[in-house]
Amino acid sequence: MIELTNPITLADFFGVLFEGQKISLPKSVSDRVNQSHTFLKRFAKDKIIYGVNTGFGPMAQYRIDEGDQIQLQYNLIRSHAAGMGDILDPIYVKSTLLARLHTLSLGYSGVHPSTIELMTELLNRDICPVIYQHGGVGASGDLVQLAHLALNLIGEGNVIYQGKQTPAAVALANEGLQPMQVYIREGLALINGTSVMTGIGIVNAIYGKRLLNWSIACSAFMNELVRAYDDHLSETLNGVKKHNGQQCVAACMREIIADSRLIRKRHEHLYSRKVEESIFKDKLQEYYSIRCVPQILGPIWDALQHCTDTLIEEVNSANDNPIIDVASESVYHGGNFHGDYVAFEMDKLRISIAKLTMLMERQLNYLLNSSLNEILPSFVNLGRLGLNFGMQGAQFTATSTTAENQTLATPIYTHSIPNNKDNQDIVSMGTNSAWLTKKVIDNAYEVLAIQLLTLVQAVEALECEPLLSSKSKKVYADIRSIVPIFKEDMVLSPYLAAIKDHVKTHD
């Protein structure tokens, strides 16, 4: 059980999303939320407060009579539940729900405590709102997507419950739960924030880090197979380049290859003997995709770290409007719902993962092209050349998927379409960016699966499994438990899908 405290951490999200842990609300959270709600209710009695006694957006100039103020909130939720496209996978919806729940629990939104209590029950009972891919421009928050979450809380719309789409009213009734009651501004507080883009972004960051770890492992494996020299990974060489990510990647790779019997020491092979050849048979330096891995993956390491820090800052922020501050006994109107922080990080992460995919594709190409590696049969074909094809077909998939990632890497941060009667005249498109980043990460796992299968086939071709480092042997054994050694051609798609599932669920 995770107690929802401030600040919430990445580990808390991981526990809920990947380990199935439940959450609880300490009394201090309920008290804080109740104080905010009670203050707003009193403060708004004789003052004009946006979204409490006014219309929304360009219609904020219209005052709403006290007798219509509750209906106003229901109208907002229902009118904005206009999403379309694919339904978000449950893990992204749960992340969204946890992100919104935590933001409201900070006590700056004026919601009734029963709102966050019901949201907690949805999370703990695995009742997943149906939220659509298309809908948000990420400026006045994720209005449309979050409206579908709010719709479920008032007992309308559909949820994913017990593995299938179910009317929210039925799911709530089955669990003995009552729909949310609107007291003052629960509708606006629920939909006016960055929690969808942030929720998707947090899952992206977790999967992105796992993907990076696998790419580091594959890169070390590559160095072993080609019997690379050790100095390009050395602490000395990487230490004189003052970037943390590069140094961390190099250190990880050194740890992986520490007990390898394939990596060559330049000092032993070239510095401790007199070299008399005029033409060297062995490469003095490997191709960039092998020896420049710390320099290529290092920026991605740093980008992922900064992205994660920004997302956790965002989820620990009050990101709706207006902000209710009990301490100063005032209500502040502004734009904390704007999603530029998340949008920018999602663009950078998407570009990073596209570059990582390109590295994997180039490493794969090196293994498959016998003219480059000069040690393996074409396409790592363990059968009869000409009759059998090895990994030839799979390369097409890797190449086309990498090309798609290159296209999807185009930044969205620099795109804005004014809307909402030009009230929202510059927007973030953060949710679009987060969702496209999700797609790029998923694509990258497909290329990774092809690379891993090629690596283990290469081990058979070189008959070098006993010489691998212990960590590379573990990778080899894991993949071999999914795909047997094959010489005869076979349908690879089911095996590749199984490898993808394995690497997405294991570090």
Side-chain angles (χ1 to χ4, degrees):
M1 181 75 71
I2 295 173
E3 190 172 66
L4 193 66
T5 57
N6 185 28
I8 196 170
T9 67
L10 185 67
D12 294 330
F13 272 87
F14 190 90
V16 172
L17 302 177
F18 291 87
E19 297 174 343
Q21 294 192 46
K22 309 297 184 185
I23 64 169
S24 64
L25 295 175
K27 185 176 184 299
S28 59
V29 169
S30 297
D31 289 345
R32 183 169 65 231
V33 171
N34 190 54
Q35 288 173 8
S36 174
H37 172 74
T38 301
F39 165 74
L40 177 62
K41 195 170 184 179
R42 171 175 55 81
F43 189 80
K45 278 290 185 182
D46 57 354
K47 298 175 182 65
I48 299 299
I49 306 296
Y50 173 77
V52 173
N53 46 30
T54 75
F56 301 105
M59 292 184 287
Q61 306 308 114
Y62 294 90
R63 186 167 186 161
I64 305 300
D65 294 336
E66 185 175 354
D68 294 326
Q69 289 170 13
I70 299 302
Q71 187 61 47
L72 173 72
Q73 301 295 318
Y74 284 104
N75 290 350
L76 177 69
I77 293 170
R78 290 168 180 148
S79 66
H80 282 64
M84 295 186 71
D86 295 333
I87 295 171
L88 301 192
D89 299 336
I91 192 170
Y92 300 95
V93 177
K94 288 180 181 178
S95 187
T96 293
L97 184 55
L98 180 56
R100 197 78 206 133
L101 166 59
H102 182 68
T103 293
L104 297 182
S105 78
L106 298 176
Y108 293 106
S109 301
V111 299
H112 192 273
S114 61
T115 300
I116 63 170
E117 290 165 4
L118 181 57
M119 295 172 77
T120 301
E121 293 296 338
L122 259 62
L123 261 178
N124 288 343
R125 298 172 189 244
D126 208 22
I127 302 173
C128 228
V130 168
I131 297 178
Y132 295 90
Q133 173 187 346
H134 293 147
V137 298
S140 193
D142 300 308
L143 292 172
V144 170
Q145 284 104 336
L146 284 173
H148 284 277
L149 187 157
L151 191 69
N152 293 159
L153 292 174
I154 63 173
E156 300 177 19
N158 290 330
V159 296
I160 303 298
Y161 177 63
Q162 297 180 348
K164 61 183 180 180
Q165 278 206 45
T166 306
V170 173
L172 292 175
N174 283 353
E175 294 290 331
L177 299 172
Q178 293 296 318
M180 177 188 77
Q181 179 181 340
V182 172
Y183 289 88
I184 186 165
R185 71 175 292 264
E186 281 74 17
L188 181 61
L190 280 163
I191 79 171
N192 204 194
T194 60
S195 299
V196 177
M197 65 177 82
T198 306
I200 296 171
I202 287 172
V203 179
N204 286 344
I206 292 170
Y207 277 136
K209 179 60 176 173
R210 184 171 287 170
L211 181 66
L212 175 59
N213 290 340
W214 274 106
S215 185
I216 290 170
C218 287
S219 296
F221 206 140
M222 286 284 300
N223 273 266
E224 291 189 74
L225 291 184
V226 303
R227 296 177 179 261
Y229 289 108
D230 63 335
D231 53 346
H232 63 266
L233 298 177
S234 68
E235 186 173 0
T236 301
L237 181 137
N238 289 282
V240 298
K241 188 106 176 212
K242 302 300 181 181
H243 297 297
N244 180 66
Q246 175 177 333
Q247 294 175 9
C248 289
V249 170
C252 289
M253 293 181 70
R254 288 196 301 274
E255 182 183 357
I256 293 170
I257 65 172
D259 58 351
S260 173
R261 289 189 284 158
L262 292 168
I263 297 293
R264 293 183 293 175
K265 298 185 182 299
R266 190 177 296 273
H267 183 80
E268 293 178 3
H269 284 266
L270 293 175
Y271 293 169
S272 61
R273 67 180 179 90
K274 183 178 181 181
V275 179
E276 298 180 344
E277 303 98 309
S278 58
I279 299 177
F280 307 114
K281 181 179 179 181
D282 292 337
K283 289 185 176 68
L284 290 180
Q285 299 187 112
E286 300 297 340
Y287 283 88
Y288 286 12
S289 62
I290 297 171
R291 69 177 160 98
C292 295
V293 172
Q295 292 83 357
I296 296 167
L297 295 185
I300 299 172
W301 180 292
D302 288 335
L304 258 167
Q305 185 59 56
H306 190 270
C307 173
T308 302
D309 291 345
T310 301
L311 290 167
I312 295 304
E313 287 175 349
E314 183 71 26
V315 82
N316 280 297
S317 303
N319 52 62
D320 56 341
N321 177 58
I323 295 298
I324 291 83
D325 186 58
V326 177
S328 64
E329 295 191 340
S330 189
V331 174
Y332 298 87
H333 293 71
N336 280 0
F337 48 57
H338 207 283
D340 262 26
Y341 269 105
V342 178
F344 199 15
E345 292 305 319
M346 287 297 98
D347 275 6
K348 289 189 286 185
L349 180 57
R350 192 167 65 259
I351 291 168
S352 296
I353 299 301
K355 185 61 178 282
L356 183 151
T357 312
M358 292 162 61
L359 174 65
M360 293 192 297
E361 187 276 333
R362 286 294 84 196
Q363 291 175 342
L364 174 65
N365 182 71
Y366 184 86
L367 292 174
L368 297 176
N369 190 337
S370 58
S371 299
L372 288 178
N373 62 64
E374 299 179 330
I375 57 174
L376 292 165
S378 294
F379 305 111
V380 196
N381 184 356
L382 303 184
R384 286 172 54 193
L385 295 180
L387 178 64
N388 299 116
F389 294 93
M391 297 297 297
Q392 179 176 325
Q395 185 179 21
F396 294 123
T397 302
T399 302
S400 64
T401 305
T402 301
E404 181 174 80
N405 273 7
Q406 289 174 303
T407 301
L408 294 176
T410 302
I412 297 177
Y413 185 71
T414 52
H415 291 260
S416 176
I417 301 176
N419 68 113
N420 193 228
K421 206 174 178 180
D422 271 359
N423 172 52
Q424 298 185 19
D425 57 347
I426 183 165
V427 299
S428 76
M429 298 297 180
T431 312
N432 284 357
S433 184
W435 189 250
L436 285 180
T437 303
K438 180 262 184 192
K439 173 64 174 172
V440 166
I441 291 171
D442 203 52
N443 283 350
Y445 273 101
E446 295 181 1
V447 178
L448 172 64
I450 296 168
Q451 182 183 16
L452 280 165
L453 182 52
T454 306
L455 282 168
V456 299
Q457 286 290 103
V459 170
E460 314 303 342
L462 298 173
E463 299 179 339
C464 64
E465 190 267 340
L467 304 178
L468 291 171
S469 68
S470 55
K471 292 184 182 297
S472 293
K473 282 180 183 176
K474 174 67 165 55
V475 172
Y476 170 85
D478 286 348
I479 303 305
R480 275 290 172 240
S481 70
I482 299 170
V483 188
I485 301 169
F486 64 91
K487 296 182 179 180
E488 298 299 324
D489 295 321
M490 62 182 187
V491 177
L492 294 180
S493 290
Y495 292 108
L496 293 172
I499 295 173
K500 179 185 174 184
D501 288 343
H502 172 78
V503 294
K504 283 198 77 174
T505 54
H506 293 81
D507 288 315

